[in-house]
């Protein structure tokens, strides 16, 4: 029998150990109290951390819930291959849901605009998928440090029928005593990494050697300049203006989403260590590259009320 | 970047986390202080600063300067009104510590939010406006922090710039605070003169207060030791989830709430008292020889004993309390007032208790003065010292000894809202010392003598619906069939046993509780008990159902539309209620919660009472209560 004798011998700093234990406790509570949970897998770094935490929470059992990816069909190709590879590696059920009605209506981020695209292909799609499979609890990787309206989000976020979030009528959350009770038709969104910061996530990925999509690491990729952001030309669907020529630049992404809506940053950080080092001296927030948040000041709060994560 | 230089950048093994709460009212500059901490520790990104500058022009209250408060007031409503209405969590980090700040509003009507923020905090920063000194609100904030178990306080005397950085002002306020807080049980109180707006003594020592030699706020936050030594407390392991991936493995997953345990140590299951030994401490990263407070692990035992979610593992020498009654401080958090006697769901640790009720409010506490006041109910934001009874024994510690195992939340059975939060003070021994007197002749024997199966037939419905008429007919028919019955009528009970009760929600609950207990005694004596009560609340009808065995409670819903009841108005009560001469009249100005699945549903319109009584008797036959000869 081989023991890890001293807890200090673990590589994680104390604050990350505490965050890890807290997240594991939340995930176990969900599995103990809900009938049919699901993990909403966005393929991003926060999802990767959640998956890693889930493995730890239920070990030696396998993760006792499926992953679900709401696919807008505009994700980076590397995200999709990473997604499928991850599900295979962990031997876990993966549900991929696409809003077919949106496809038929030819909703896309370029012509329809980011607001409509997000509404139909993400928010509506998510609601449809949760209803279709009858999931009563859905894990999400949102963190409170991401955005102002998220700072007041509960860890167990109650949604009334129709997946409505009412920020003025949230259940108070005290200690580690979560109120998991819901009635028929009501659901819960659960955010196990609520109290992590972006830096915590990156440090944890580095120290735990968690696989993430290679797009987070700098590499020469074809990009065009648009409205002050760098957009990667991931496939032939991105229409180019007559004088627009994709150029190869060393870039990487701090957050990932639909490729026409994700701004890249110029960077040489090609390894996880480089990324963490770059994080420590970053001068802009990660959401700056995310075009869907900047439509209007309170837009995230509005989207959340409508059922967006 | 070379790996060597990175090592200096990532967190050291000893970097830990401090969770604290900030308390202060709108004008104390609380949000400004947090904004300042974030800004001065370089945690505000350029795009956020640009946005802030834009917002400051639009909503700000600081003229041309950047309004840091806008960084933290997240919801639209707050930004419009310039107030904080909910708990917001903020994060910042330094090489030594990472911080989670619970930012909560300070108004009296937000006691609930402050308690929420304080529940996970180890330290409180209490803001005082240097121009105003210790106020009623300061007392309120300090009292709530103390009640929630916070032992370390920083008194931030803010706006020191507005009193010309005056030392006397600061010394007087610090002195006042220490004097009044002496009874609150704080381990450390440190007062710091600051200006959140200009940054004096926030993240660096200020030249404007050369008379102050203590630490600046951030220094103190970074260095204070708040480790509450949870690893030294008795071992408590609330089982969260039973991990059974295959027949060869049975592990108990949970987070060590306090203390520590090693492989080979003896443990007991607190409630059942069963013993075993720790066989393995399993984690994804390998097995551990020992585990301590804060670790999320999976424990396997040497013996197969019955353990499920809600059980607490402890050491045989250091057992937690196991009792079905206890005294606790309860903070009420819902618009709907707490009603003593009503059945609520409780969550204590990982134990979910299907039915618990507040049996008595000893007193409520004036949060501004600490005074004890008499109370019959608790309304939103009120704090009471209460006796609580739970249907089955619960395992716990006193909150003062252990925050993790001494706290609970109260959930409404029907709305599922979290309506209260509690901190256990001590177990009540009255239940433990009064053992059930074993009775030689039981319910079964008594019933056998009467050749019948006892049950409660409970008629509910609006006043004038026809309950008493039908109940009376059922009683006559059963009597004619030589059954031993008794009829409890709401009106009649109110002339005697319940004559001290009125018609408020609390009194109605107590009315039904007593009626239910009486019905149960009569059931135990082998009778068929016919009850006729408006009993407007689902909660209380279910409480009576829970008092007795399966199938012994038969709910009869006498369903007459309110218009018809008003038309009949046999006692002239609706006329009085409509003219305002009777208050809290069910169906007029008090609610009636119709049964969703009654055992017998009598729709009375167009039916004769005799036919309806037959329906009830038919149900008794199908349930095997009586036999038609």
């Amino acid at each position: 029998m081989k023991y890890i004798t001293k807890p200090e011998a673990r590589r994680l700093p104390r604050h990350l150990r505490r965050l890890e234990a807290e997240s594991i406790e939340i995930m176990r509570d969900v599995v103990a109290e809900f009938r049919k949970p699901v993990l909403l897998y966005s393929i991003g770094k926060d999802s990767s951390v959640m998956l890693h935490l889930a493995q730890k929470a239920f070990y030696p059992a396998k993760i006792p819930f499926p992953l679900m990816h709401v696919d807008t069909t505009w994700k980076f190709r590397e995200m999709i291959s990473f997604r499928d590879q991850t599900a295979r590696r962990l031997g876990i059920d993966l549900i991929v849901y696409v809003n077919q009605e949106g496809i038929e209506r030819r909703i896309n981020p370029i012509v329809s605009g980011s607001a409509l695209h997000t509404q139909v292909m993400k928010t509506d799609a998510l609601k449809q998928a949760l209803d279709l499979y009858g999931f009563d609890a859905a894990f999400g990787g949102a963190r409170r440090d991401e955005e102002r309206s998220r700072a007041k989000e509960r860890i167990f976020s109650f949604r009334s029928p129709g997946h409505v979030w009412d920020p003025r009528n949230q259940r108070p959350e005290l200690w580690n005593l979560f109120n998991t009770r819901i009635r028929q038709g009501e659901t819960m969104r659960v955010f196990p990494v609520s109290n992590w910061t972006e830096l915590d996530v990156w440090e944890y990925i580095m120290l735990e050697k968690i696989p993430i999509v290679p797009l987070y690491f700098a590499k020469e990729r074809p990009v065009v300049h648009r409205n002050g952001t760098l957009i990667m030309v991931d496939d032939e669907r991105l229409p180019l203006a007559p004088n627009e020529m994709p150029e190869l630049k060393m870039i990487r992404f701090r957050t990932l989403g639909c490729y026409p809506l994700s701004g890249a940053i110029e960077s040489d950080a090609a390894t996880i260590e480089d990324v963490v080092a770059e994080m420590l001296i970053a001068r802009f927030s990660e959401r700056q590259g995310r075009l869907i948040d900047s439509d209007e000041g309170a837009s995230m709060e509005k989207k959340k009320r409508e059922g967006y994560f | 970047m070379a790996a060597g230089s990175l090592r200096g950048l990532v967190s050291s093994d000893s970097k830990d986390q401090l969770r604290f709460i900030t308390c202060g009212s709108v004008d104390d500059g609380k949000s400004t202080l947090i904004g300042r901490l974030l800004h001065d520790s370089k945690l505000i990104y350029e795009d956020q600063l640009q946005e802030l500058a834009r917002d400051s022009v639009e909503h700000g209250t600081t003229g041309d300067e950047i309004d840091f408060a806008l960084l933290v007031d997240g919801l639209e409503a707050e930004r419009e009104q310039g107030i904080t209405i909910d708990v917001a969590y903020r994060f910042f980090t330094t090489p030594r510590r990472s911080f989670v700040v619970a930012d909560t509003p300070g108004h009296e009507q937000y006691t609930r939010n402050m308690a929420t923020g304080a529940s996970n905090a180890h330290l409180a920063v209490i803001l005082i406006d240097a121009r105003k000194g210790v106020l009623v609100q300061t007392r309120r904030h300090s009292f709530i922090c103390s009640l929630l178990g916070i032992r370390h306080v920083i008194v931030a005397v803010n706006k020191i710039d507005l009193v010309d950085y005056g030392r006397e002002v600061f010394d007087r306020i610090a002195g006042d605070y220490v004097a009044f807080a002496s009874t609150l049980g704080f381990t450390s109180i440190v007062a710091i003169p600051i200006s959140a707006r200009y940054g004096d003594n926030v993240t660096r020592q200020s030249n404007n207060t050369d008379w102050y030699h203590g630490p600046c706020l951030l220094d103190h936050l970074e260095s204070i030791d708040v480790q509450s030594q949870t690893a030294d407390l008795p071992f408590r392991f609330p089982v969260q989830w039973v991990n059974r991936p295959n027949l060869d493995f049975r592990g108990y997953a949970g987070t060590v709430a306090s203390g520590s345990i090693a492989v080979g140590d003896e443990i007991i299951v607190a409630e059942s008292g069963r013993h075993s030994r720790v066989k393995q401490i399993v984690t994804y990263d390998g097995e551990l020889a020992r585990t301590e407070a804060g670790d999320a692990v999976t424990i396997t035992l040497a013996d197969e004993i019955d353990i499920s979610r809600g059980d607490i593992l402890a050491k045989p020498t250091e057992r937690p309390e196991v009792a079905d009654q206890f005294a606790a401080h309860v903070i009420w958090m819902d618009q709907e007032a707490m009603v003593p006697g009503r059945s609520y769901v409780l969550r204590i640790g990982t134990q979910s208790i299907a039915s618990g009720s507040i049996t008595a409010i000893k007193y409520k506490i004036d949060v501004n003065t600490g005074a004890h006041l008499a109370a019959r109910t608790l309304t939103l934001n009120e704090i009471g010292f209460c006796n609580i009874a739970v249907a089955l024994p619960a395992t716990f510690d006193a909150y003062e000894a252990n925050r993790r195992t001494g706290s609970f939340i109260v959930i409404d059975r029907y709305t599922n809202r979290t309506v209260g939060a509690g901190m256990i003070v001590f177990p009540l021994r009255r239940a433990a010392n009064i053992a059930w007197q074993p009775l030689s002749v039981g319910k079964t024997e008594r019933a056998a003598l009467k050749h019948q199966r006892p049950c409660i037939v409970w008629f509910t419905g609006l006043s004038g619906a026809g309950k008493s008429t039908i109940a009376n007919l059922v009683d006559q028919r059963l009597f004619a069939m030589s059954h031993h019955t008794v009829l409890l009528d709401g009106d009649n009970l109110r002339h005697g046993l319940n004559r001290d009760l009125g018609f408020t929600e609390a009194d109605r609950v107590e009315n039904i509780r007593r009626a239910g207990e009486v019905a149960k005694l009569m059931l135990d004596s082998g009778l068929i008990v016919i009850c006729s009560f408006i009993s407007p609340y689902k909660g209380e009808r279910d409480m009576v159902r829970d008092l007795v065995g399966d199938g012994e409670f038969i709910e009869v819903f006498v369903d007459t539309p309110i218009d018809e009841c008003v038309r009949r108005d046999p006692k002239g009560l609706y006329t009085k209620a409509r003219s305002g001469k009777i208050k809290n009249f069910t169906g007029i100005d008090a609610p009636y919660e119709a049964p969703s699945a009654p055992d017998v549903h009598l729709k009375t319109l167009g039916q004769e009472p005799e036919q309806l009584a037959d329906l009830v008797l038919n149900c008794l036959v199908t349930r095997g209560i009586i036999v038609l000869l």
Side-chain angles (χ1 to χ4, degrees), chain B residues 331-349:
Chain B
I331 301 174
W332 203 248
M333 303 193 149
D334 201 63
Q335 296 289 348
E336 202 173 299
M338 177 242 272
V339 183
R342 170 162 289 179
S343 164
Y344 295 100
V345 174
L346 262 56
R347 181 170 173 182
I348 307 180

Side-chain angles (χ1 to χ4, degrees), chain A residues 1-5 7-8 10-22 24-29 31-33 52 55-62 64 144-149 151-154 158 165 167-183 186 194-200 203 206-208 254 271-274 276-277 279-280 282-288 297-298 301-302 305, chain B residues 1 6 9-17 19 44-48 50-51 55 70-79 81 84-91 93 98 100 112 115-116 119-120 122 148 227 240-241 243 245 249 253-255 263 279 282-290 292 294-298 309 333 345 347-350 352 399 403-404 407-409 411-418 421-423:
Chain A
M1 181 82 35
K2 230 178 73 189
Y3 291 128
I4 304 170
T5 40
E8 292 78 20
R10 286 184 56 187
R11 291 163 305 135
L12 288 182
R14 268 155 59 190
H15 73 291
L16 289 180
R17 289 213 311 263
R18 171 159 183 186
L19 288 170
E20 181 189 74
E22 181 183 70
I24 288 174
E25 185 176 11
I26 293 162
M27 295 186 123
R28 286 171 171 171
D29 243 19
V31 165
E33 293 278 333
H52 189 71
Q55 279 181 277
K56 291 197 173 196
F58 305 106
Y59 178 86
K62 275 186 17 177
R144 284 167 170 163
D145 79 325
E146 279 178 86
E147 201 268 342
R148 271 195 305 237
S149 70
K152 312 213 161 177
E153 177 65 283
R154 301 297 191 261
F158 173 77
W165 181 67
R168 284 162 193 266
N169 195 17
Q170 300 191 80
R171 295 174 177 177
E173 258 173 12
L174 294 99
W175 302 289
N176 58 337
L177 301 179
F178 301 107
N179 176 349
T180 55
R181 290 171 65 93
I182 53 170
R183 288 183 290 199
E186 298 169 341
S194 283
N195 287 327
W196 296 55
T197 64
E198 188 190 7
L199 182 59
D200 295 329
E203 273 198 64
M206 177 174 76
L207 296 170
E208 292 282 304
R254 275 174 82 182
T271 65
I272 182 68
E273 287 78 14
D274 293 344
V276 172
M279 244 318 284
L280 288 163
R283 286 157 55 238
F284 289 91
S285 75
E286 61 182 323
R287 293 219 149 238
Q288 207 219 3
E301 184 179 341
K302 214 170 115 200
R305 282 172 192 267
Chain B
M1 167 165 298
L6 182 72
L9 288 171
V10 291
S11 309
S12 67
D13 288 357
S14 64
K15 178 167 175 173
D16 66 359
Q17 191 182 56
R19 298 192 178 192
I44 298 178
Y45 293 114
E46 285 188 17
D47 52 316
Q48 292 173 326
Q50 288 161 12
E51 191 184 359
D55 285 354
L70 292 178
L71 261 181
V72 293
D73 289 337
L75 299 177
E76 268 183 276
E78 297 175 319
R79 296 162 76 76
Q81 296 164 35
T84 311
I85 53 176
D86 204 337
V87 189
Y89 295 90
R90 307 290 161 193
F91 305 83
T93 190
S98 82
V100 181
R112 140 182 128 153
T116 302
S119 71
N120 283 315
H122 285 104
L148 269 292
Q227 284 304 317
Q240 242 193 316
W241 183 68
N243 193 344
F249 186 90
T255 300
V263 169
K279 187 170 139 199
V282 179
T283 79
Y284 177 82
D285 300 296
E287 287 188 24
L288 304 176
R290 162 173 218 91
E292 63 173 32
D295 295 345
V297 295
T298 300
R309 176 172 168 85
M333 303 193 149
V345 174
R347 181 170 173 182
I348 307 180
T350 57
S352 196
Y399 185 73
R403 279 171 101 172
R404 277 252 172 167
S407 50
F408 62 92
I409 57 170
I411 300 168
D412 185 278
R413 293 175 81 105
Y414 294 100
T415 64
N416 285 334
R417 288 200 297 264
T418 302
M423 289 139 290

